[in-house]
Amino acid sequence: MWDIHKPLIQNDRQYNLYKIAEELSGKVKLRATETDQQAAFSQENLYDLKEAGYLSLTLPGQYGGQNLSLYEFVLLQERLAVGDGSVALSIGWHLGIVMELRDEQLWKPETLKWLANEISKQKKLVNRAATERATGSPTRGGIPETRAVPSEGSYLINGRKTFTTMADVLDYFIVSAFIEEEESIGWFIIEKGQDGVDVDYTWDTLGMRGTGSDDLVLTNVKVPVDRLVEIKDPTKKEPALPKGWLLHIPACYLGIAIAARNEALEFAKSYQPNSLTTTISKVPHIQQKIGEMDLELLYARHFMYSIAEKWDKEPENRMALGPELAAVKTIATNAAQHVVDLAMKIAGGRGLSKNANFERYYRDVRAGLHNPPMDDAVIGMLAARAIND
Ligand SMILES: Cc1cc2nc3c(=O)[nH]c(=O)nc-3n(C[C@H](O)[C@H](O)[C@H](O)COP(=O)(O)OP(=O)(O)OC[C@H]3O[C@@H](n4cnc5c(N)ncnc54)[C@H](O)[C@@H]3O)c2cc1C
């Protein structure tokens, strides 16, 4: 079968990195049904990711990382998602956060150095916990209900975070909390196993079940002041650098769509019902669907990769790239849904079976709508640029 990834691999370095993702993709695929059933992030997958050095990939070379570019990040994440979208989305948060911290210097250099060493030497895993039931998506600008109160040279933190991907296996949670005394939102590093840190196993969703995005519950968690790593005044609307690393989200959902497309194609080329003298791949309406799947993928993927490349090659223009990055997410996640729908039409009723992968792709791909930025926000952003600039 024509390898849909090959045309996008530009050089030997990318090829060698891609091979790491390809191998992992094969391994996690074997466990995808089990993790989907268990609605938890698999310890075995985590072990394999650590063994392959995957957790360090976005770290600079001095920490044993590969200093991935955005293009390379997208390439690897998309390939990993062909094996299991849940694994790719989950580890994408970790790698993306590290990329953001590496490129934007949001933290004090000594704190960043400490975290980089934790990841490179101890293979520690991090994620941000920002979403809450009442605040919804943090991208909407709501103030966290989680509170941090100064207390005897530390902060006491209380609150509950929803959608905390990999909550059960994370070593460090980077948690947003409102500090009333300072009228600001702070980000705190909280360690697994600290007193008052608990996971409530609420994650029982339609799709992306293997992300294990459970609730993080914080009860009087005492955090030293030097673990307050970022602080922001919510009333000040300073222009922020667009988050290029969030392209791991469209890469993930396109990976799921590629998996569905490949399996539908295999099926079309091998299934010959006894009403036909050929396989269904020779039937016009099936060919129409195969062509449409590839049209969607070509369009969304070339857009995503070209924006990733622009981000890498023109750092001086990153500030203006926000609407394009957001548009990639909307186009890719909607294209991915369409591709999976088409794949399921090719598979027919078999696609509904729990023994086939199609129904999992169908469920997983829907979650893309609820990762940031949401479609209405993207459309609003494009309209605002068109009207105001
Ligand atoms: C698989 C998965 C993994 C995730 N992992 C993480 C993670 O690791 N860490 C983390 O912090 N979060 C995570 N999230 C959470 C995600 O980023 C969103 O915060 C979450 O999905 C809630 O977004 P929402 O749009 O459904 O909710 P809400 O923001 O509550 O929106 C609900 C509805 O209200 C509308 N709405 C709400 N506010 C506004 C507004 N101001 N203007 C217009 N309309 C509005 C929305 O359009 C929507 O229709 C994850 C989500 C998923 C699906």
Side-chain angles (χ1 to χ4, degrees):
M1 194 192 301
W2 178 66
D3 184 347
I4 202 161
H5 296 282
K6 260 199 187 131
L8 291 155
I9 300 173
Q10 299 168 318
N11 51 46
D12 288 349
R13 172 180 151 94
Q14 286 179 11
Y15 179 77
N16 292 333
L17 289 166
Y18 172 83
K19 282 283 160 196
I20 301 173
E22 187 179 52
E23 196 182 330
L24 279 169
S25 184
K27 288 183 179 173
V28 301
K29 191 179 174 94
L30 299 174
R31 304 182 189 116
T33 304
E34 191 186 328
T35 54
D36 177 61
Q37 283 165 359
Q38 292 174 350
F41 193 84
S42 147
Q43 291 280 3
E44 288 89 352
N45 286 343
L46 184 57
Y47 176 83
D48 285 340
L49 289 160
K50 286 184 177 180
E51 284 302 292
Y54 207 81
L55 270 56
S56 299
L57 287 178
T58 47
L59 281 174
Q62 76 213 67
Y63 298 106
Q66 291 287 346
N67 206 27
L68 286 194
S69 67
L70 186 58
Y71 190 100
E72 291 165 345
F73 184 32
V74 162
L75 182 70
L76 270 65
Q77 287 295 114
E78 187 190 54
R79 188 62 188 86
L80 186 59
V82 175
D84 185 349
S86 282
V87 176
L89 188 73
S90 303
I91 215 66
W93 296 129
H94 165 96
L95 289 177
I97 289 164
V98 173
M99 180 180 261
E100 181 188 33
L101 295 175
R102 177 195 79 191
D103 294 347
E104 287 193 42
Q105 278 112 39
L106 298 174
W107 294 6
K108 285 187 186 146
E110 60 269 26
T111 318
L112 185 54
K113 193 172 167 193
W114 163 79
L115 184 70
N117 278 321
E118 286 290 285
I119 295 169
S120 66
K121 297 199 175 118
Q122 310 291 333
K123 300 187 172 147
K124 296 286 172 88
L125 187 65
V126 298
N127 188 14
R128 286 192 192 264
T131 304
E132 297 179 356
R133 214 166 288 285
T135 320
S137 171
T139 56
R140 304 282 187 185
I143 291 181
E145 297 208 330
T146 298
R147 288 289 190 267
V149 179
S151 161
E152 299 167 1
S154 307
Y155 285 93
L156 273 188
I157 303 191
N158 283 282
R160 175 185 279 262
K161 297 291 181 180
T162 51
F163 290 96
T164 308
T165 292
M166 306 181 286
D168 201 35
V169 294
L170 287 175
D171 297 295
Y172 295 108
F173 306 89
I174 308 171
V175 173
S176 59
F178 188 60
I179 315 168
E180 210 164 321
E181 288 71 8
E182 298 169 27
E183 291 187 358
S184 54
I185 298 171
W187 287 91
F188 296 85
I189 302 179
I190 294 182
E191 223 168 304
K192 175 192 197 156
Q194 261 184 266
D195 282 349
V197 178
D198 291 296
V199 175
D200 188 3
Y201 298 95
T202 50
W203 190 246
D204 187 11
T205 45
L206 175 100
M208 288 306 218
R209 293 170 58 80
T211 61
S213 302
D214 289 299
D215 284 11
L216 173 69
V217 185
L218 306 166
T219 316
N220 288 328
V221 180
K222 196 170 177 181
V223 180
V225 279
D226 63 354
R227 290 287 168 99
L228 168 58
V229 283
E230 287 166 54
I231 192 147
K232 181 179 120 191
D233 179 345
T235 58
K236 286 205 183 115
K237 294 266 178 270
E238 286 153 11
L241 190 70
K243 297 188 182 301
W245 65 273
L246 282 181
L247 283 196
H248 83 92
I249 298 170
C252 168
Y253 292 99
L254 286 172
I256 295 170
I258 290 168
R261 173 260 188 206
N262 287 349
E263 286 178 37
L265 195 54
E266 284 288 352
F267 176 70
K269 284 168 37 176
S270 60
Y271 179 52
Q272 182 176 338
N274 59 17
S275 57
L276 291 176
T277 55
T278 64
T279 62
I280 61 166
S281 64
K282 302 280 185 330
V283 172
H285 84 90
I286 297 287
Q287 290 188 353
Q288 170 80 24
K289 291 179 179 71
I290 292 170
E292 276 182 45
M293 287 195 300
D294 276 20
L295 184 67
E296 286 275 23
L297 286 170
L298 279 168
Y299 168 46
R301 297 178 79 221
H302 279 276
F303 182 35
M304 176 175 75
Y305 281 95
S306 79
I307 296 300
E309 195 165 27
K310 204 169 165 58
W311 175 271
D312 292 334
K313 292 200 168 149
E314 300 172 28
E316 68 285 2
N317 294 327
R318 284 181 183 174
M319 207 66 191
L321 220 51
E324 275 73 11
L325 289 162
V328 167
K329 192 272 174 172
T330 282
I331 286 181
T333 48
N334 285 285
Q337 281 196 41
H338 190 204
V339 169
V340 174
D341 281 356
L342 288 164
M344 287 196 75
K345 285 183 183 169
I346 293 171
R350 284 171 177 76
L352 301 174
S353 169
K354 284 277 178 194
N355 295 323
N357 291 324
F358 291 107
E359 66 84 35
R360 177 163 43 79
Y361 301 144
Y362 181 79
R363 290 184 286 108
D364 283 349
V365 84
R366 294 213 60 79
L369 288 179
H370 310 297
N371 291 134
M374 285 59 177
D375 285 356
D376 66 290
V378 175
I379 302 296
M381 192 188 293
L382 294 173
R385 181 172 68 172
I387 294 163
N388 302 326
D389 281 7

